C-alpha cells in the first residue's frame, strides 16, 4: 500500500511539469485516478496482529525508499548553501553528521515476547542487506553510464592500482565483465566493487568490513 501511494504521489508530481502536452497531462491524470481507485479498494489493515517481521518491513520501507533518497539531497543542499555563502567549493567540504535515525522495531525490550536476541540479529542483518543491495543497484546504474574507453580517456594511477588489486582479491568479478568491456576501466572497477558488495551481502570473505572501505572505492 505504501508503494501504491508512492506511485500515485509521483504521478501527481509529474503533472506539474510545464512542458507536458495536453494528451500527456490527460494520460497521467487517468493513470493517477485509476491507481487511486484501485488503492481505495484495498483493505486498510490486516485483521491479524502484526508480527515483528511485519513491523520491521514497514520501517525498512521508509529507510530504503524515503530516507536513502532524501538524506543525500539534504546534505547536498547544505553543501551548496555553504558554497554560496562562503565561496568554498562544496566538494571540498566534509559535513558533520547532522541527522541521525533510529528505530526500536525488532529490538524493543518492553515486554514483547517475540522480541529477543534472535529478532535483534535478524533486524540488523535485514537492514544491512537492504542498504548493501541499494549500493549494488547504484553501482549497476553507474556501470551503464561510465563506459568510457581507456583509448579515449586517462585514469588515475590509484584507480589502476585498485583494479589490479581486485583482480587478485576478487577473481570472480571477471565473470561479470564482458570481454569487449575489458578496455573500459570504470566499468571493470564497478564490476569489482559490485562483486565485493555481493560478498558483503552474503557475509563471505573479502567483503567490505567497514563503511570507510566502500567510501574509499567510491572516491
Amino acid at each position: 500500500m505504501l508503494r501504491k501511494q508512492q506511485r500515485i504521489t509521483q504521478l501527481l508530481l509529474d503533472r506539474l511539469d510545464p512542458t507536458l502536452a495536453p494528451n500527456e497531462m490527460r494520460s497521467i491524470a487517468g493513470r493517477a485516478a485509476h491507481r487511486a481507485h484501485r488503492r481505495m479498494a484495498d483493505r486498510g489493515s490486516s485483521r491479524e496482529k502484526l508480527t515483528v517481521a511485519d513491523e520491521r518491513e514497514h520501517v525498512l520501507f521508509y529507510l530504503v525508499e524515503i530516507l536513502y533518497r532524501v538524506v543525500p539531497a539534504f546534505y547536498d543542499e547544505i553543501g551548496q548553501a555553504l558554497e554560496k555563502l562562503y565561496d568554498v567549493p562544496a566538494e571540498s567540504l566534509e559535513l558533520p553528521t547532522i541527522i541521525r535515525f533510529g528505530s526500536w522495531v525488532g529490538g524493543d525490550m518492553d515486554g514483547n515476547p517475540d522480541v529477543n536476541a534472535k529478532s535483534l540479529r535478524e533486524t540488523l542483518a535485514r537492514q544491512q542487506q537492504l542498504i548493501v543491495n541499494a549500493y549494488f543497484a547504484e553501482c549497476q546504474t553507474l556501470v551503464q553510464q561510465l563506459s568510457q574507453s581507456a583509448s579515449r580517456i586517462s585514469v588515475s594511477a590509484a584507480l589502476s592500482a585498485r583494479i589490479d588489486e581486485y583482480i587478485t582479491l576478487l577473481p570472480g568479478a571477471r565473470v561479470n565483465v564482458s570481454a569487449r568491456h575489458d578496455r573500459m576501466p570504470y566499468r571493470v572497477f564497478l564490476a569489482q566493487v559490485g562483486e565485493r558488495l555481493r560478498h558483503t551481502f552474503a557475509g563471505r570473505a573479502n567483503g567490505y568490513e567497514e563503511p570507510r572501505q566502500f567510501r574509499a572505492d567510491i572516491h
Side-chain angles (χ1 to χ4, degrees), residues 48-58 105-106 112 114:
E48 298 178 0
K49 182 181 178 181
L50 291 177
T51 66
V52 172
D54 291 330
E55 294 179 347
R56 179 172 63 228
E57 293 305 307
H58 185 86
V105 173
N112 186 336
D114 297 323

Side-chain angles (χ1 to χ4, degrees), residues 87-143:
D87 196 25
V88 178
E91 60 271 15
S92 70
L93 301 172
E94 186 170 342
L95 297 177
T97 300
I98 301 172
I99 304 178
R100 292 184 184 274
F101 296 96
S103 169
W104 50 262
V105 173
D108 54 319
M109 310 300 287
D110 62 352
N112 186 336
D114 297 323
V115 174
N116 46 46
K118 180 175 180 290
S119 70
L120 183 56
R121 284 195 300 268
E122 290 174 345
T123 298
L124 293 173
R126 180 70 174 142
Q127 290 176 352
Q128 183 195 37
Q129 287 176 344
L130 284 179
I131 292 300
V132 169
N133 191 59
Y135 292 153
F136 179 82
E138 299 273 12
C139 286
Q140 296 302 103
T141 300
L142 286 174
V143 161

Side-chain angles (χ1 to χ4, degrees), residues 142-163:
L142 286 174
V143 161
Q144 301 301 316
Q145 298 173 2
L146 301 180
S147 56
Q148 293 81 3
S149 170
S151 64
R152 299 288 185 89
I153 63 165
S154 60
V155 298
S156 68
L159 179 62
S160 297
R162 188 64 62 90
I163 289 174

Side-chain angles (χ1 to χ4, degrees), residues 71-72 74-80 82 90-98:
V71 171
F74 168 79
Y75 279 97
D76 283 346
E77 190 171 353
I78 294 293
Q80 290 166 11
L82 291 172
E91 60 271 15
S92 70
L93 301 172
E94 186 170 342
L95 297 177
T97 300
I98 301 172

